[in-house]
Amino acid sequence: MSTTRPLSRHPVLVESGVSTRTRVAIVGGGIIGLASAWQLLRAGCAVTVLDPSVGGGATNAAAGMITPSSEATFGHEALLAASIASAARWPTFAEQLSADSGLPVELCREGTLFVAADHDDELVLARQARLLERHHRSVDRLPSRAARRLEPALSPRLAGSLLIEDESSVDPRQVAQALRVAITRLGGEFRRVHARPQLRAGRVIGAVPASEAACPDGGGPCHADVTVLAGGWATTDLATGLGLHVPIRPLKGQVLRLRPAAPDVLHRVVRASVHGRFVYLVPRSSGEVVVGATSEDVGPDASVTAGAVHDLLHDAIEIVPELSEAVLVESLSGLRPATPDNLPIVGAVGIDGLVVAAGHGRDGILLAPLTAEAVLAEVLGQPSPQHADHFAPQRFSRTEGP
Ligand SMILES: Cc1cc2nc3c(=O)[nH]c(=O)nc-3n(C[C@H](O)[C@H](O)[C@H](O)COP(=O)(O)OP(=O)(O)OC[C@H]3O[C@@H](n4cnc5c(N)ncnc54)[C@H](O)[C@@H]3O)c2cc1C
């Protein structure tokens, strides 16, 4: 389904026959709000991002894997197609962002090594290989010895591995910082405020502080032609306030950062099935390794638990034994914005002046370039990019009853 809209839905202001810039308010400055803001500014819009802690949501905890094939699961073909399309945009996205911000945006393009700890885990790998072969995705089955030539720090006791070459990773904190700087350089504004959309005469006319207490900058309303709700898992409450049903729930993920004694312990993303449990290890250019992650449907609880830290460390050390000597730099959790069908919700939602961009679950970093393009297309009244039409909010449409 195409999400093409007539321009009048989110109009460019016309005063005395002269077009002025479309004003866009973005509620939420995670990867999705920031990437959208940057693309809108590049297209000539005037943009304000409202967020009390820019980059502090799930984006701050994310590992940064851009791994459409490794994430693929049976029955989620639309997500795979969108993920492939977005991953293909990442090299240009990173290059342009680095140019606009003057900061490095490093894309590690060494692929993913998917390893099995025992013979049952090998069956998991075989299943993934079959799925990828069915979709004509490149995947190589490697004996463990070949895997250890690529990654010498891997345990010699592994049962098997797959190499998926066309995958990459970024550091989401580095990306968020570059987006912040690029947005400011292009004239975008930030307001450190907890906000909500403002409805007048059936149209959203911008965003206002959620309460006086939520407004430390003392500012009032932020008027806009288009308001984008990009508040991660909290978007559902923002939408409910307008009588809309946007089904997003928090899905907790706990993650660790380790600093190994030697640099370059790993060179690429390593995913592993360890006696039936999944773990991933993502190296950063700083030498740190991110180890993740749990997936817990426990509501908006961002605590870090001893059991999760134990399991993540146990599985990581089983795959890369020398990590037992690493310094545990950080343990944290983030709340992924999850939807019932694992696809994000991006587009107009039936109230003039309003666009939603949220619900990216496990894949918000991966899907950021395609999502930002879809938001831009929606604001400009242009056709949705290919594969982003699967994100249309109408698939869940019903208004909240009284
Ligand atoms: C442990 C973990 C690992 C992950 N690893 C990966 C990965 O490897 N690859 C990948 O692609 N994805 C990964 N993800 C998923 C990814 O982090 C999310 O999909 C992505 O961050 C969602 O981005 P977002 O901008 O929608 O939400 P968030 O990053 O959560 O940002 C939402 C922002 O909205 C703000 N906000 C909320 N309510 C309001 C309000 N009322 N007013 C103003 N601001 C508001 C918040 O302060 C926050 O800054 C991971 C997630 C976790 C938790």
Side-chain angles (χ1 to χ4, degrees):
M1 170 185 166
S2 165
T3 57
T4 310
R5 303 277 166 217
L7 251 177
S8 58
R9 191 171 185 94
H10 310 302
V12 174
L13 284 185
V14 178
E15 287 168 5
S16 321
V18 181
S19 289
T20 60
R21 299 168 78 195
T22 302
R23 299 165 308 167
V24 183
I26 300 188
V27 180
I31 187 80
I32 297 302
L34 292 173
S36 301
W38 176 52
Q39 289 302 318
L40 287 159
L41 283 158
R42 291 186 115 237
C45 298
V47 180
T48 303
V49 178
L50 304 100
D51 192 325
S53 67
V54 172
T59 302
N60 187 51
M65 294 176 290
I66 300 170
T67 54
S69 295
S70 321
E71 285 283 330
T73 49
F74 283 92
H76 289 96
E77 281 71 20
L79 180 58
L80 176 59
S83 298
I84 292 168
S86 196
R89 285 163 165 80
W90 254 104
T92 306
F93 185 93
E95 203 178 302
Q96 289 178 343
L97 178 56
S98 185
D100 282 4
S101 65
L103 295 173
V105 180
E106 295 153 334
L107 186 66
C108 171
R109 300 172 77 170
E110 299 294 327
T112 300
L113 202 54
F114 201 159
V115 302
D118 64 29
H119 290 292
D120 286 342
D121 295 317
E122 234 186 328
L123 299 177
V124 176
L125 264 58
R127 194 164 182 266
Q128 193 69 12
R130 278 201 304 280
L131 170 66
L132 296 179
E133 283 156 3
R134 184 191 291 181
H135 289 283
H136 311 291
R137 301 294 293 158
S138 122
V139 55
D140 290 324
R141 297 167 198 246
L142 296 183
S144 318
R145 227 174 312 124
R148 289 192 72 226
R149 272 199 294 277
L150 291 174
E151 293 292 353
L154 289 175
S155 164
R157 289 200 295 272
L158 297 178
S161 66
L162 298 178
L163 178 63
I164 304 170
E165 284 192 279
D166 55 349
E167 296 199 321
S168 55
S169 66
V170 289
D171 179 346
R173 293 178 182 180
Q174 185 186 62
V175 175
Q177 175 59 9
L179 283 166
R180 232 185 312 222
V181 171
I183 288 166
T184 306
R185 279 185 165 191
L186 290 170
E189 290 178 13
F190 287 96
R191 289 191 54 191
R192 292 175 61 84
V193 61
H194 202 252
R196 63 173 172 79
Q198 187 179 21
L199 189 65
R200 186 170 298 162
R203 174 178 184 86
V204 170
I205 57 162
V208 288
S211 67
E212 259 177 48
C215 192
D217 68 357
C222 170
H223 295 297
D225 307 302
V226 183
T227 301
V228 180
L229 302 186
W233 69 271
T235 303
T236 199
D237 290 342
L238 292 169
T240 302
L242 298 171
L244 296 169
H245 175 63
V246 177
I248 299 174
R249 69 187 196 285
L251 189 63
K252 177 175 170 179
Q254 301 192 49
V255 73
L256 310 174
R257 263 157 224 275
L258 306 182
R259 189 182 327 116
D264 293 339
V265 166
L266 293 175
H267 307 90
R268 55 180 55 68
V269 173
V270 173
R271 287 174 175 258
S273 180
V274 186
H275 317 305
R277 218 161 42 196
F278 286 108
V279 69
Y280 57 71
L281 299 98
V282 182
R284 296 275 190 253
S285 61
S286 65
E288 286 184 6
V289 176
V290 177
V291 178
T294 63
S295 193
E296 302 164 71
D297 225 334
V298 293
D301 159 25
S303 57
V304 174
T305 60
V309 174
H310 170 273
D311 291 350
L312 290 171
L313 285 176
H314 172 275
D315 296 348
I317 291 167
E318 178 145 351
I319 297 302
V320 178
E322 71 179 79
L323 287 178
S324 62
E325 303 299 323
V327 175
L328 175 55
V329 179
E330 187 180 12
S331 60
L332 76 162
S333 74
L335 300 174
R336 306 175 185 93
T339 63
D341 61 5
N342 294 336
L343 282 163
I345 300 174
V346 182
V349 280
I351 298 182
D352 283 352
L354 185 68
V355 170
V356 167
H360 293 72
R362 307 170 56 83
D363 300 313
I365 311 300
L366 164 61
L367 292 172
L370 182 64
T371 301
E373 224 176 273
V375 170
L376 176 62
E378 180 62 46
V379 170
L380 298 184
Q382 294 172 350
S384 180
Q386 201 186 2
H387 303 300
D389 47 357
H390 299 301
F391 303 167
Q394 286 70 23
R395 68 192 196 276
F396 296 119
S397 61
R398 71 174 165 86
T399 44
E400 293 290 311

